[in-house]
Amino acid sequence: MGWNRKVDRIFKARKENEKTEEAPDIYADEYYDPEEDRVRYNVGDNLEKGDLFAMIFSAWIVIMPIALGVLLLIVLLAWFLLGL
């Protein structure tokens, strides 16, 4: 949709400037709208059905062993220092 207009503007400008050596300015068209080329980004548009669960589960798999290791280290350090 927006791409076709750009291509049409290029061909039109090339035909008009065939005799000159200058590069055509495709953005000089009176119908050019810079907002037309932008894609609105909405959060969650690029997620599939199970992606949120997969991200939470993988974070759980990565963080929990580290947290348990730190907790075990604290308990062992307290056990050795206090002699319980």
Side-chain angles (χ1 to χ4, degrees):
M1 144 181 5
W3 178 256
N4 289 336
R5 280 197 215 164
K6 282 185 177 181
V7 172
D8 290 340
R9 281 196 304 263
I10 290 172
F11 282 125
K12 182 180 174 184
R14 183 176 288 172
K15 187 179 284 187
E16 290 173 358
N17 295 330
E18 232 173 35
K19 296 179 182 175
T20 63
E21 295 294 325
E22 297 176 15
D25 185 13
I26 63 170
Y27 299 110
D29 191 0
E30 62 186 64
Y31 300 109
Y32 176 69
D33 182 19
E35 293 294 321
E36 172 186 328
D37 299 331
R38 294 191 180 171
V39 176
R40 301 236 180 245
Y41 178 75
N42 294 326
V43 176
D45 279 352
N46 55 353
L47 293 179
E48 293 180 5
K49 186 176 180 182
D51 284 349
L52 183 63
F53 174 74
M55 287 189 293
I56 292 172
F57 185 69
S58 63
W60 182 269
I61 288 174
V62 169
I63 292 172
M64 286 310 294
I66 296 171
L68 288 175
V70 168
L71 185 64
L72 183 64
L73 183 67
I74 292 172
V75 168
L76 286 175
L77 186 64
W79 185 58
F80 282 128
L81 290 177
L82 298 176
L84 294 175

